[in-house]
Amino acid sequence: MRIAYISTYPPRECGIATFNQNLVRAVNANFTGDDAVTQCGFVVAMNDSEKLKDYEYPEEVKFTVRQDNQKDYIRAANYLNTSNADVCILEHEFGIYGGESGIYILPLINRLEKPLVTVLHTVLREPSFVQKIIMREIADQSSKVIVMSKRAVEFLTSIYEIPAEKIQIIEHGVPDLEASENNEIKKLPAFKNKKVLFTFGLISRNKGMETVIKALPAIVKQHPDVMYVILGNTHPGVLKNNGEEYRDSLKRLAAQLGVSKHLTFINKFVSEEELFQYLTAIDIYITPYLNEAQITSGTLSYAIGAGAAVVSTPYWHAQELLDNDRGRIFDFKDHEQLGAIVNDLLGNPESLKQLKRNAYDYGLHTRYPKIGAEYIKVAQEAAAKHDLNDKILQSTIVDPEIMPRFSLDHVLRLTDDTGIVQHAKFGIPNLKEGYCLDDNARALIMALMAYQRNKSPEALKLLPIYLSYIHYMQTEDGNFRNFLSFSRQYLDEVGSEDSFGRTIWSLGYLINCATNNSYREFAVEIFHKAIQQFKNLTHIRGQANTIIGIALYLKVFPGDDGLIQEMKNLTLPLMDAYEANSDDNWHWFEDVMTYDNAILPLALMHSTEITGDPDVKRVALEAMDFLDKATLSNGYLSPVGNEGWYRKGGKFPEYDQQAIETMAMVLMNFQAYQLWHKPEYIEKMFACYMWFLGDNSLRAPLYDHETKGCCDGILPTGINRNQGAESTLAYLISHLTVLKAFELEYEYHKYGQTIELC
């Protein structure tokens, strides 16, 4: 029974990593002799860094996945499918996989041809929409789902609607160790001749250690030889963002209460064997977590397994594990109750000894070799029942392997502290042309998308630059200028309606997915000031872009009846234009197709998503179908060329083709999929994206792998080699949209096979 484990893994400091390493050893401990060699499994390790060599993994790690690199997940699936593994075990915790709530894991398991068993380390009582989808999909793809508590089973069946027969409880394993007669830990200054209270694990605010410190004055008063020892490093994520702020606050609190001499920090990540020595050297182990939403606690399991006397707040796992007099419970944040319980136990040695004995006896049946045997049995059953024919393996629609690695290099080259320069000569910024509002609005959307995808620090730094440019260009009456010289001189008094609409779109996008409240509040202020100009818009593309921005705003503030009416007012001219110009052979808003065409049906999709208007939906679908047939009929995208445009009854102009057209097509088809869940929209979206990579009338790529920019368009004579902001941003927004669609692969594969293009 060769098992492949998908998880974090030591030396990465992570509770899931330690659990998985212990599980590997527990399973291997059940095999001896030749079996120990032939049945030995391997690990696919999750990296929290883009550098594959950041960790020196042991030999059982055969493949590494960078958490935020979507391609790595596909490569991992291919590696697993061609390996000699009989079964895969997935350790699941939302935070160890990439994307929103770890959604990047879904394409991997969707492609997996091996039977899958999943261990759920977190089961939320109030999951987000995405978290609920992820859990259901994991359960659907798994032969069996393993949890470690009865409460988790209850949540999975009632909240996530996962069949009970698919769920199995296997308790958290503990080391198969016994206390040594000569425990060196007891000789340490913090332990010698002390009554030791103990907490261990990665330190972060949700651990509630301040509750114990607040209880210390009352405990020290009765037991002056008490020492509270906190063992563990600060959580890497906390350390990265906040440094040692929490640990320092605990030290200050102890000083204020006069108990600094009764508090000891041991700042290190210890081995299991060393941890066991600590646990058998203490008097009382305390888990003072701040809320009940902890379905599994490895630290609590370890303490029980070591035969420690445990005092804990009533989080879910503690309620079960400390039942039947295996521990004591105190209320969340109640330091007075904690102090009373600790004083009672320290003052009654027999009660303390009985608590330890009860914990030790219970822990015997959760020791790792026994737990490993249970996992082997589950894996064998999964392998026996697995039939690859039961899993419909479809050819992928979106293939991230052929997509270039996402890079902001050219955007960074074009951006200074004012904004993004609008034009370039080849790959060099053309400073003579200055800046424009259109491009800075697009750049804001792109930077937000990039940050959403992988928390890019480069993208985060760009956001205030583009938002500041938009603010600088707004006039007192709420309108916007468009052009600014490199010397920061205004070049117009009022910008175009297109630039106005694109700016409202970008502000709506920021309001919808702001990285922090200050950015959202600033965007709302600019947005509200511009509302007075909505009624003055007369051109349908300006109106369309504005509709999209309003729709995004209304997803955050759905009760704004005034803005709903504004959106309806802006939708009406598009509907009137369509009715005035369309006939049996021409389903369009004007008697000529010009530029940024897909924005028009895209805007109506956003409008009908908010209002549910069936007529708006009908027109959006008719116009999209007409546009698709006009531009995708050759099996690849050929956007409307701007040499004469495409006139009703006229000849379709092949050149010049612009990147902005392609971006709009990508966005339109993805929005159509999000609303109506037809896989054909995903296929069309990807076909449009491939225009950038060479699936076009010239069969030549516009994306420049050297500069990481995008050429400005396709001419009759070849590629326009200039790489301005508009084309580069169009490419990057399209790229990020495709990656977002790829996250939903598990979903659109369920709706049907791929189709032929128009």
Side-chain angles (χ1 to χ4, degrees):
M1 179 51 57
R2 292 175 295 275
I3 300 174
Y5 304 84
I6 307 167
S7 174
T8 53
Y9 207 71
R12 179 175 172 182
E13 294 182 4
C14 165
I16 306 297
T18 302
F19 176 92
N20 193 60
Q21 185 180 55
N22 286 327
L23 180 58
V24 172
R25 293 171 176 173
V27 168
N28 292 346
N30 284 269
F31 300 108
T32 58
D34 292 340
D35 284 345
V37 177
T38 59
Q39 304 296 329
C40 187
F42 63 88
V43 175
V44 172
M46 301 301 305
N47 242 30
D48 55 356
S49 167
E50 278 295 302
K51 298 177 181 177
L52 292 173
K53 302 298 183 181
D54 266 8
Y55 298 108
E56 292 186 13
Y57 287 115
E59 63 178 356
E60 61 265 28
V61 174
K62 304 300 183 185
F63 194 92
T64 304
V65 174
R66 291 164 293 185
Q67 181 173 321
D68 293 318
N69 190 312
Q70 286 175 280
K71 292 183 180 181
D72 282 2
Y73 291 83
I74 305 310
R75 293 165 185 159
N78 294 335
Y79 180 84
L80 289 163
N81 289 337
T82 56
S83 74
N84 63 358
D86 299 304
V87 178
C88 294
I89 291 181
L90 172 74
E91 307 288 357
H92 184 263
E93 166 71 54
F94 292 110
I96 66 174
Y97 302 108
E100 182 181 356
S101 297
I103 200 170
Y104 288 2
I105 192 61
L106 295 188
L108 188 160
I109 64 173
N110 186 70
R111 283 171 160 76
L112 199 59
E113 298 173 9
K114 307 283 186 179
L116 178 67
V117 174
T118 298
V119 185
L120 299 177
H121 291 265
T122 296
V123 182
L124 300 174
R125 183 172 60 181
E126 297 178 352
S128 69
F129 176 78
V130 172
Q131 288 166 339
K132 197 170 186 178
I133 285 176
I134 291 170
M135 292 288 272
R136 284 176 169 173
E137 183 62 21
I138 287 174
D140 188 51
Q141 297 288 344
S142 301
S143 172
K144 190 71 79 173
V145 170
I146 306 297
V147 294
M148 302 174 204
S149 68
K150 297 174 184 175
R151 186 66 63 95
V153 176
E154 176 189 325
F155 287 176
L156 289 177
T157 54
S158 62
I159 298 170
Y160 299 88
E161 299 175 337
I162 295 170
E165 60 270 17
K166 205 159 201 179
I167 308 167
Q168 181 168 333
I169 295 178
I170 300 179
E171 291 198 69
H172 195 297
V174 299
D176 188 18
L177 299 170
E178 295 292 343
S180 62
E181 294 182 7
N182 185 25
N183 191 338
E184 294 296 321
I185 299 298
K186 292 182 179 181
K187 299 176 183 178
L188 296 175
F191 288 77
K192 189 175 182 179
N193 300 321
K194 298 289 195 304
K195 291 176 180 175
V196 178
L197 313 180
F198 187 67
T199 298
F200 80 92
L202 294 173
I203 296 174
S204 60
R205 278 200 173 275
N206 64 328
K207 299 298 176 66
M209 294 166 187
E210 63 273 14
T211 306
V212 185
I213 294 173
K214 289 177 182 178
L216 281 179
I219 298 170
V220 170
K221 187 175 181 179
Q222 293 190 29
H223 303 280
D225 55 347
V226 154
M227 178 66 71
Y228 179 36
V229 176
I230 299 174
L231 170 65
N233 292 328
T234 298
H235 192 287
V238 174
L239 194 62
K240 180 180 179 181
N241 297 315
N242 304 105
E244 294 289 5
E245 182 267 337
Y246 179 53
R247 189 190 299 266
D248 292 341
S249 73
L250 296 176
K251 291 178 181 178
R252 288 195 300 272
L253 177 61
Q256 291 166 11
L257 297 174
V259 292
S260 293
K261 293 181 180 179
H262 300 272
L263 173 65
T264 296
F265 286 97
I266 301 176
N267 307 347
K268 65 177 182 177
F269 191 84
V270 298
S271 68
E272 231 169 46
E273 291 76 12
E274 192 176 359
L275 174 59
F276 194 82
Q277 296 303 310
Y278 276 101
L279 287 169
T280 53
I282 67 172
D283 293 274
I284 298 175
Y285 176 71
I286 304 175
T287 52
Y289 298 161
L290 296 178
N291 62 71
E292 64 182 357
Q294 180 95 7
I295 207 77
T296 303
S297 171
T299 59
L300 181 63
S301 298
Y302 277 29
I304 291 292
V310 177
V311 178
S312 175
T313 49
Y315 56 90
W316 295 322
H317 195 202
Q319 291 177 35
E320 290 186 30
L321 201 52
L322 302 185
D323 198 15
N324 296 321
D325 202 30
R326 291 190 290 270
R328 296 283 187 271
I329 296 289
F330 68 98
D331 292 333
F332 298 109
K333 301 181 182 180
D334 193 335
H335 65 275
E336 293 180 354
Q337 188 182 14
L338 170 61
I341 292 172
V342 170
N343 279 332
D344 178 62
L345 288 173
L346 293 179
N348 293 277
E350 283 304 315
S351 295
L352 189 63
K353 188 180 294 184
Q354 185 61 49
L355 213 58
K356 291 183 176 183
R357 187 178 300 114
N358 294 344
Y360 176 82
D361 291 343
Y362 186 83
L364 288 174
H365 88 276
T366 64
R367 295 200 174 189
Y368 273 123
K370 293 182 179 180
I371 296 298
E374 292 188 54
Y375 274 91
I376 291 171
K377 184 178 179 181
V378 172
Q380 288 172 336
E381 291 173 353
K385 294 178 181 177
H386 183 63
D387 184 352
L388 194 56
N389 293 324
D390 290 340
K391 185 170 184 177
I392 302 173
L393 296 173
Q394 301 177 334
S395 58
T396 182
I397 300 176
V398 175
D399 185 1
E401 282 293 318
I402 64 177
M403 298 172 66
R405 184 174 179 273
F406 180 79
S407 172
L408 289 171
D409 285 359
H410 193 53
V411 168
L412 293 170
R413 194 177 298 119
L414 291 172
T415 301
D416 59 19
D417 59 354
T418 298
I420 191 166
V421 174
Q422 62 175 324
H423 293 303
K425 291 295 289 182
F426 298 95
I428 307 302
N430 184 357
L431 304 182
K432 295 178 180 179
E433 302 293 337
Y435 317 86
C436 72
L437 186 64
D438 294 273
D439 289 336
N440 280 274
R442 291 189 196 97
L444 180 62
I445 293 173
M446 184 282 300
L448 284 163
M449 293 176 73
Y451 185 75
Q452 279 181 301
R453 178 178 172 265
N454 61 7
K455 298 295 184 289
S456 164
E458 290 178 330
L460 189 62
K461 290 178 182 178
L462 292 172
L463 290 177
I465 296 175
Y466 304 138
L467 183 56
S468 178
Y469 183 91
I470 290 171
H471 176 249
Y472 186 66
M473 300 302 280
Q474 189 169 35
T475 57
E476 286 303 313
D477 62 357
N479 214 322
F480 297 92
R481 295 181 173 92
N482 191 4
F483 298 108
L484 189 73
S485 71
F486 185 64
S487 59
R488 296 187 180 182
Q489 302 299 310
Y490 293 127
L491 299 179
D492 55 6
E493 290 301 317
V494 179
S496 67
E497 290 192 11
D498 284 6
S499 65
F500 178 92
R502 288 167 184 146
T503 303
I504 298 303
W505 180 354
S506 71
L507 292 170
Y509 197 94
L510 173 55
I511 292 164
N512 184 259
C513 60
T515 57
N516 58 52
N517 285 331
S518 63
Y519 286 177
R520 175 177 282 122
E521 290 168 4
F522 192 22
V524 167
E525 182 180 300
I526 301 171
F527 187 98
H528 282 175
K529 188 175 181 179
I531 290 175
Q532 58 187 302
Q533 294 293 334
F534 291 179
K535 64 181 181 295
N536 298 325
L537 296 172
T538 58
H539 296 93
I540 60 174
R541 282 167 181 77
Q543 292 164 338
N545 281 287
T546 303
I547 288 169
I548 297 170
I550 296 173
L552 292 167
Y553 176 99
L554 288 170
K555 289 184 177 182
V556 181
F557 303 106
D560 193 326
D561 293 336
L563 269 178
I564 292 174
Q565 188 57 52
E566 290 280 2
M567 188 176 67
K568 290 180 178 178
N569 293 343
L570 290 167
T571 302
L572 187 59
L574 270 70
M575 296 292 288
D576 290 344
Y578 184 84
E579 296 303 327
N581 290 284
S582 64
D583 57 34
D584 291 343
N585 299 310
W586 183 264
H587 300 283
W588 201 242
F589 304 86
E590 301 164 302
D591 61 1
V592 58
M593 274 189 175
T594 56
Y595 65 96
D596 216 2
N597 293 294
I599 290 299
L600 303 177
L602 173 61
L604 295 185
M605 290 177 199
H606 280 278
S607 181
T608 191
E609 182 182 11
I610 298 297
T611 66
D613 189 317
D615 284 336
V616 175
K617 175 183 176 181
R618 172 185 60 82
V619 171
L621 287 169
E622 288 179 3
M624 176 177 63
D625 184 59
F626 181 69
L627 181 59
D628 282 345
K629 287 178 178 176
T631 58
L632 285 167
S633 58
N634 295 323
Y636 56 83
L637 179 67
S638 182
V640 174
N642 63 14
E643 283 191 350
W645 309 123
Y646 180 28
R647 298 188 178 279
K648 190 174 184 178
K651 184 180 178 182
F652 187 90
E654 194 167 2
Y655 301 105
D656 297 345
Q657 298 177 22
Q658 303 293 315
I660 190 176
E661 291 290 322
T662 303
M663 179 191 80
M665 291 289 289
V666 168
L667 293 171
M668 177 188 72
N669 278 288
F670 184 54
Q671 177 69 6
Y673 174 78
Q674 289 183 298
L675 294 182
W676 300 303
H677 303 291
K678 293 184 178 180
E680 64 187 81
Y681 299 135
I682 296 293
E683 183 153 2
K684 290 176 180 178
M685 175 208 70
F686 192 62
C688 293
Y689 167 77
M690 288 301 295
W691 178 88
F692 291 106
L693 303 186
D695 281 0
N696 51 52
S697 55
L698 287 186
R699 316 308 294 176
L702 283 84
Y703 178 75
D704 187 330
H705 290 267
E706 181 180 357
T707 65
K708 307 299 186 290
C710 179
C711 297
D712 279 350
I714 298 179
L715 310 173
T717 55
I719 299 294
N720 181 342
R721 290 283 288 119
N722 294 331
Q723 298 172 18
E726 179 181 292
S727 55
T728 296
L729 292 168
Y731 168 75
L732 292 174
I733 289 172
S734 300
H735 183 102
L736 290 164
T737 301
V738 170
L739 290 179
K740 182 67 176 175
F742 178 61
E743 295 175 12
L744 304 177
E745 182 185 57
Y746 71 93
E747 183 181 272
Y748 50 74
H749 271 179
K750 292 181 178 180
Y751 292 116
Q753 298 285 345
T754 59
I755 62 157
E756 294 296 322
L757 294 180
C758 301

